[in-house]
Amino acid sequence: MTEMTGDPFYDDHLLSEIYDAWHPRAVRDDFDFYLPLIMQANAVLDIGCGTGTLLNEARQYGHRGELCGLDPGQGVLARARAFEGITFVLGTLPQPGLDARFDLAVMTGHAFQAILADDDVDQFLSTVRQCLVPGGAFAFETRNPLARPWETWTPDLPAVVRLDDNSRVTITTTVTSGFDGRTVSFRHDFAGDHPGLPLTSESTLRFHDAETLAKRLEESGFSLEARYGDFQSRPFTAKSPEIITIARRR
Ligand SMILES: C[S@@+](CC[C@H](N)C(=O)[O-])C[C@H]1O[C@@H](n2cnc3c(N)ncnc32)[C@H](O)[C@@H]1O
């Protein structure tokens, strides 16, 4: 069965604020990739929408159709719900009422990698398909394991961010279980002068190789329409940082 609960990181309200400070628009080249797709689609579902910033940007740019964000994280959803004119649903798929009406589903910020087991991935893809109109598209990305991104997830490369109240947060990442051909587990430690700190979060991410992922999509009723290796839409190669897929519902 698809994992119904997400990562506890995204339930916490302070960590959700830290997430936004850590991923400001200036570093979100993925938004530049997904926004044109969203603007061309009438009804859009953002699965694992987090704090809702992508859909909000689409609305600010003048998207007039249905925009719906779905996320199991209570902390991020609370932030998202501050944006007006967008429906935000707490939960994941399958979700009653989200059947067969979206022209486009997106899944950004590597949220797809939160689904770990093979059976859960297959069931998830089937339920995404059921949310789409015939001919609708699913656009998402997953990090390329051949690029071994976890090798940079080390405590000697901390991130430092400032929150709205000007408190300073240092984030260190430690891999707790290395790549075993499928998953990597890691811990984030958050320290700083905010009274809610220190905090720690533990996460596991699933990695997919491009060909097996394409096969899974085909078997789940999608046709692979396009595959890119980065958010500048360069072709996918073994060295690409990302496997970005646009799959169309058959
Ligand atoms: C790294 S964040 C990305 C958030 C947002 N899409 C972005 O690009 O900033 C991953 C998100 O995936 C959500 N998530 C985890 N498991 C999920 C699932 N099974 N279904 C939907 N969302 C999930 C988390 O709650 C979290 O908000």
Side-chain angles (χ1 to χ4, degrees):
M1 207 185 89
T2 302
E3 185 62 49
M4 291 301 290
T5 55
D7 187 328
F9 181 116
Y10 302 101
D11 284 327
D12 187 277
H13 290 249
L14 176 57
L15 291 182
S16 300
E17 183 183 354
I18 292 171
Y19 180 86
D20 275 344
W22 193 8
H23 302 88
R25 181 63 177 90
V27 302
R28 297 300 306 251
D29 57 349
D30 57 333
F31 280 25
D32 296 327
F33 177 88
Y34 287 107
L35 273 166
L37 301 176
I38 292 173
M39 297 308 287
Q40 288 164 23
N42 185 38
V44 180
L45 177 64
D46 184 354
I47 306 164
C49 64
T51 56
T53 49
L54 177 62
L55 291 183
N56 182 55
E57 194 165 324
R59 191 60 94 210
Q60 298 306 314
Y61 275 165
H63 192 285
R64 292 177 183 275
E66 180 180 4
L67 296 176
C68 179
L70 176 71
D71 200 290
Q74 297 188 30
V76 287
L77 240 272
R79 284 180 76 77
R81 283 178 169 153
F83 296 129
E84 292 177 358
I86 303 167
T87 304
F88 288 106
V89 178
L90 182 68
T92 183
L93 296 177
Q95 185 69 219
L98 296 186
D99 299 344
R101 72 163 190 270
F102 294 97
D103 304 295
L104 173 70
V106 296
M107 197 166 195
T108 70
H110 308 103
F112 183 71
Q113 292 188 248
I115 303 164
L116 303 181
D118 283 348
D119 287 351
D120 291 345
V121 171
D122 290 338
Q123 190 193 335
F124 179 81
L125 290 173
S126 293
T127 54
V128 173
R129 184 179 176 280
Q130 287 163 22
C131 291
L132 295 170
V133 297
F138 179 37
F140 68 104
E141 86 284 325
T142 179
R143 296 177 186 86
N144 180 13
L146 297 175
R148 304 183 69 79
W150 53 84
E151 288 179 350
T152 63
W153 301 350
T154 58
D156 53 316
L157 294 171
V160 179
V161 301
R162 278 207 185 270
L163 303 185
D164 287 346
D165 66 0
N166 209 34
S167 57
R168 189 171 177 271
V169 183
T170 302
I171 306 154
T172 52
T173 304
T174 308
V175 171
T176 52
S177 183
F179 185 56
D180 60 1
R182 294 162 57 86
T183 62
V184 173
S185 298
F186 55 91
R187 189 182 73 240
H188 290 313
D189 291 296
F190 304 86
D193 47 12
H194 189 284
L197 298 178
L199 286 171
T200 293
S201 73
E202 312 247 3
S203 304
T204 299
L205 293 178
R206 171 73 190 268
F207 286 82
H208 299 265
D209 74 80
E211 292 319 315
T212 309
L213 180 60
K215 191 162 170 277
R216 280 187 187 289
L217 284 158
E218 286 288 336
E219 289 171 356
S220 301
F222 287 96
S223 297
L224 185 63
E225 182 166 291
R227 185 164 62 194
Y228 303 104
D230 61 29
F231 293 112
Q232 288 69 47
S233 302
R234 294 186 187 96
F236 174 77
T237 71
K239 291 183 179 164
S240 298
E242 306 284 347
I243 305 167
I244 304 167
T245 301
I246 300 177
R248 202 158 285 282
R249 177 185 164 163
R250 288 198 300 272

